[in-house]
Amino acid sequence: MTTHLAVSPGFADLVDLWAPVRQLGTGFEFCEGPVWHPREHHLLFSDMPGDVRRRWDKGGIREAMRPANKCNGMTYDADLNLIVCEHSTSTLVRERPDGRRETIASHFEGMELNSPNDVVVKSDGAIYFSDPWYGRMPVFGVERPRQLGFQGVYRITPGGGAPELLVDRYLFDQPNGLCFCPTEDRLFVNDTVQCNIRVFDILPDGRLGPGRVFASGIVSQSEPGVPDGMKCDAQGNVWVCGPGGVWVYTIKGELIGKLRVPELVGNLTWGGPDWRTLFLTASHSLYAVETKVGPRMEPYMKAGATGGARHGGATAPDRPVSNLDAAAFISPGGVKKAAAGYRLDPSRCALLIQDMQNDVVMDGGAFAASGSPAHCKEQNAIGNAARLAQAARARGIPVIHVWFVVEPGAPGVTMNAPLFEGLADATALVRGTWGAAAVPGLEAQGGDHVVEKQRMSAWEGTRLETVLKALGRDVVIVTGAWTNMSIEHTARTGADKGYFMVVPEDACSTMNAEWHTASVNYALQNVCVVTDVDAVIAATAG
């Protein structure tokens, strides 16, 4: 078995470097366009030269449509209508569950499109697609003259209508794969001929600002493969088909690793009950590999997330957090929170109270000079956390206290970061001292659990996950200090592990309001539900 290539150490956080790439089926002509149905739990993919659409599920692979107009890229909209790029007809179509077929786009300025190739749907319902001319070539389409003299990228507005050209007519040779970043304010588009990826800011009206090269040189003299299908994961990393398999770039455009696949990969998508299976359409075969990270949550994934999914070891009859992803409001303090009206199943929840210790947030504590006591009071974080803990215990939700505790002299704490150096210099959080004790009002009570740590994240080197799995809990409500460090690190790691993370921000605090708001409005929005204590209490009321 060949190991995957970690260009930088962070790649091992995304996928096990020895994760097997499993062949699910083979014998096809050229596979493309995979998409996972979130309710019915099957994968559709196309075999363009064979002019057939196939379906994979646990029962194996079977034909779903023949002929299939040599379809290529596919996705779903928020209503789970299938959006299909057809090479033979040079058309973008919508296939409804009842069998109705609707043309979304076929012409631009009175001339036929080349051959829509890849397609994505934005949360507002707008559809973006690429239009190279591969579908007018032999084998992959139907050979015929081109009417347009360029290859573009287009948008269909949420209300429908004619396609809008979004880029300069001659910017791309063959625009191919495209994907949004997690916050949907940037669009990535690759070019198979130029062997690069461009990124564009998405303007408020949905059009694109000037683009720039995000990554280049996606080519090899020794391995087959070119930029083709492309997806963005939940952390903002870009996974693009390339020589030897799949190349993975950070949100900053740095190559972080390569996923090795036995055949030339044409496209990819995440699926499976927990969205941690990466399906790969590779030349003559369909493959799958398990990853540690899931996809950017596209609208169809949210709309269809029901039916026996497993997260963190607990069976999920439906999403434990029902409508939090779609609705948000800005509070008077400038914090973006989830709107009210959602529901949490208490039998699946656990409450973390993290680092609420005297040295961290109390006057006279080792870190008092940072401003943390003042911000904790401003947030009423202790009172709000205590109120939430009381409601949690009444509803059978386990309360888990996570305390940072060190022995005298801080043995075993590496001095690799200013935070840990400051801890040692201040002789803070030493076992048995006042500073390490829980703040008044948040002491552990009978039936509570206590987890000790020596890192920012509550998961690192602790027994937290053992406790959660023993209790069968997969929805983790995180409170405490500090928002931009312990809370954020814990939420990020929990999301990567497959847990649903909920942060009532008024039960959290840090050094000042500016740092708190920045963490809540940016980093945390992509990995958890940001809400408040009153909303969580209401959501767990049954």
Side-chain angles (χ1 to χ4, degrees):
M1 181 169 62
T2 302
T3 181
H4 307 298
L5 175 63
V7 177
S8 65
F11 188 54
D13 295 331
L14 306 180
V15 61
D16 186 329
L17 298 182
W18 292 96
V21 178
R22 298 174 287 120
Q23 188 182 69
L24 304 179
T26 192
F28 316 122
E29 294 187 48
F30 188 86
C31 300
E32 256 286 2
V35 63
W36 178 260
H37 196 293
R39 286 183 181 162
E40 298 177 6
H41 289 190
H42 66 252
L43 183 85
L44 294 179
F45 65 100
S46 60
D47 184 342
M48 286 186 295
D51 198 16
V52 61
R53 183 185 304 164
R54 290 187 167 86
R55 165 179 168 151
W56 175 88
D57 57 29
K58 290 185 177 180
I61 295 176
R62 61 179 175 82
E63 288 190 6
M65 178 183 290
R66 182 193 289 265
N69 293 325
K70 296 200 171 184
C71 62
N72 193 340
M74 295 185 285
T75 190
Y76 292 103
D77 63 20
D79 296 321
L80 295 183
N81 300 304
L82 187 65
I83 311 298
V84 184
C85 297
E86 293 187 347
H87 276 190
S88 296
T89 65
S90 296
T91 301
L92 185 70
V93 302
R94 177 185 291 110
E95 296 180 8
R96 297 194 179 274
D98 61 8
R100 286 180 293 157
R101 169 190 164 93
E102 304 167 355
T103 296
I104 299 173
S106 60
H107 291 73
F108 178 73
E109 294 182 345
M111 292 175 283
E112 288 182 351
L113 295 169
N114 296 310
S115 56
N117 188 86
D118 201 7
V119 59
V120 289
V121 179
K122 201 165 178 279
S123 292
D124 63 3
I127 300 172
Y128 294 69
F129 67 95
S130 58
D131 187 45
W133 64 279
Y134 291 120
R136 292 176 181 263
M137 297 179 182
V139 181
F140 297 109
V142 176
E143 188 173 11
R144 58 203 190 279
R146 286 177 281 166
Q147 296 187 10
L148 292 173
F150 62 92
Q151 291 70 242
V153 176
Y154 298 88
R155 171 180 178 257
I156 306 295
T157 63
E164 301 174 342
L165 181 64
L166 299 175
V167 298
D168 182 272
R169 291 173 185 242
Y170 305 108
L171 178 63
F172 290 99
D173 285 301
Q174 293 284 26
N176 199 323
L178 68 172
C179 60
F180 295 112
C181 73
T183 52
E184 289 192 340
D185 55 3
R186 279 166 288 178
L187 178 73
F188 299 93
V189 185
N190 68 47
D191 190 306
T192 299
V193 174
Q194 297 175 13
C195 298
N196 64 20
I197 303 171
R198 285 185 170 86
V199 60
F200 301 84
D201 291 332
I202 300 177
L203 304 177
D205 65 358
R207 298 176 185 269
L208 302 183
R212 63 177 178 82
V213 174
F214 171 78
S216 60
I218 309 173
V219 65
S220 171
Q221 299 302 316
S222 60
E223 294 180 300
V226 291
D228 201 328
M230 185 165 61
K231 293 292 186 291
C232 190
D233 69 25
Q235 298 179 12
N237 303 300
V238 175
W239 300 57
V240 60
C241 299
V246 179
W247 294 28
V248 183
Y249 292 86
T250 70
I251 193 68
K252 296 179 180 179
E254 301 160 338
L255 181 63
I256 189 175
K258 297 179 182 180
L259 200 66
R260 297 296 191 187
V261 183
E263 299 179 60
L264 186 152
V265 182
N267 213 330
L268 69 165
T269 195
W270 271 280
D274 60 359
W275 298 104
R276 293 296 186 277
T277 301
L278 186 65
F279 292 96
L280 306 153
T281 48
S283 298
H284 309 300
S285 306
L286 175 67
Y287 293 92
V289 61
E290 302 307 315
T291 61
K292 299 178 182 179
V293 66
R296 176 194 89 86
M297 291 304 290
E298 300 187 36
Y300 79 87
M301 299 175 180
K302 303 171 188 177
T306 61
R310 291 186 63 85
H311 297 277
T315 301
D318 51 42
R319 283 199 62 162
V321 187
S322 28
N323 64 344
L324 296 175
D325 302 294
F329 69 96
I330 301 296
S331 71
V335 171
K336 188 189 297 183
K337 301 181 183 180
Y342 58 89
R343 186 176 61 82
L344 295 171
D345 181 353
S347 70
R348 298 175 60 184
C349 295
L351 172 64
L352 300 192
I353 301 175
Q354 187 165 199
D355 295 354
M356 279 303 202
Q357 296 161 265
N358 292 324
D359 268 343
V360 181
V361 296
M362 295 297 285
D363 289 321
F367 301 120
S370 68
S372 61
H375 188 246
C376 186
K377 292 174 185 176
E378 179 184 327
Q379 286 283 101
N380 190 29
I382 296 173
N384 287 332
R387 187 160 53 91
L388 181 56
Q390 182 180 12
R393 295 184 185 103
R395 290 162 190 173
I397 297 173
V399 176
I400 304 173
H401 302 264
V402 181
W403 294 335
F404 202 122
V405 179
V406 301
E407 306 302 330
V413 178
T414 56
M415 299 297 113
N416 62 311
L419 177 71
F420 304 139
E421 293 176 358
L423 174 91
D425 292 343
T427 317
L429 299 169
V430 176
R431 185 184 303 280
T433 65
W434 171 85
V439 299
L442 289 178
E443 300 90 348
Q445 297 186 15
D448 290 357
H449 301 262
V450 175
V451 171
E452 294 186 359
K453 64 170 187 172
Q454 293 187 350
R455 282 292 183 266
M456 284 179 276
S457 171
W459 306 91
E460 183 65 29
T462 76
R463 63 188 191 96
L464 175 59
E465 190 159 26
T466 300
V467 173
L468 291 171
K469 287 186 174 181
L471 297 172
R473 307 289 166 148
D474 65 346
V475 180
V476 183
I477 305 164
V478 187
T479 68
W482 287 326
T483 317
N484 58 313
M485 286 187 277
S486 296
I487 303 301
E488 185 177 315
H489 280 250
T490 298
R492 285 176 181 273
T493 304
D496 278 346
K497 287 177 174 289
Y499 291 87
F500 289 91
M501 306 302 294
V502 180
V503 175
E505 62 85 23
D506 56 347
C508 304
S509 66
T510 185
M511 278 72 83
N512 55 63
E514 182 179 1
W515 286 18
H516 174 84
T517 303
S519 179
V520 164
N521 280 358
Y522 294 95
L524 286 172
Q525 292 289 334
N526 291 321
V527 296
C528 70
V529 171
V530 175
T531 181
D532 56 41
V533 166
D534 287 337
V536 172
I537 291 175
T540 56

